[in-house]
Amino acid sequence: MSTNGLTKTDKMKQTIQLVKGDFTVSDASDIMMSLIDEKINFHQKQRLQKWEQNHENNLGEIEERIKQLEKEKTVIQTFMLNAKNYHNTIAINGILEISII
């Protein structure tokens, strides 16, 4: 079995620089909204799949996560509106950490 040069520790945890840079408020808003919208869509699909499998499934956890993401989306929208009044550049540093647990 080939490990492609990765150590066991490398296989257990990875860090990915998902977004990094300075953006206009408009571009930063588009990036952030797209990321959150994709995550909301993921959970909506997951909710539908679970419901199709069993109409009596408890979907509360998924529903709560969708609500949480929608609140975060509102927070970001407010932040971006305020940012337009003060600056025309937004710095984003989005790091994704993934681990095998």
Side-chain angles (χ1 to χ4, degrees):
M1 176 167 87
S2 173
T3 61
N4 296 327
L6 296 177
T7 66
K8 184 174 183 175
T9 304
D10 292 335
K11 290 181 182 180
M12 301 301 283
K13 183 175 182 180
Q14 293 292 311
T15 302
I16 299 165
Q17 185 71 53
L18 192 60
V19 181
K20 184 174 181 147
D22 298 336
F23 302 91
T24 65
V25 173
S26 178
D27 287 345
S29 182
D30 287 347
I31 291 166
M32 298 305 297
M33 292 302 108
S34 293
L35 289 170
I36 290 179
D37 284 341
E38 281 300 316
K39 188 64 176 163
I40 290 170
N41 287 339
F42 168 80
H43 287 296
Q44 288 173 335
K45 288 177 190 175
Q46 192 178 46
R47 178 183 59 192
L48 180 60
Q49 288 172 346
K50 285 188 177 210
W51 182 81
E52 286 176 340
Q53 290 171 358
N54 179 356
H55 294 332
E56 307 221 357
N57 263 338
N58 181 359
L59 303 174
E61 189 175 313
I62 294 172
E63 292 289 343
E64 188 58 37
R65 184 62 181 139
I66 291 170
K67 287 178 189 175
Q68 194 177 39
L69 288 165
E70 288 171 345
K71 286 179 186 175
E72 292 295 331
K73 188 174 175 179
T74 301
V75 169
I76 291 170
Q77 288 170 330
T78 301
F79 180 85
M80 292 300 173
L81 285 173
N82 290 331
K84 284 183 183 180
N85 296 325
Y86 299 105
H87 304 285
N88 63 357
T89 303
I90 301 288
I92 299 175
N93 183 24
I95 297 172
L96 180 65
E97 292 181 7
I98 53 176
S99 303
I100 298 173
I101 54 173

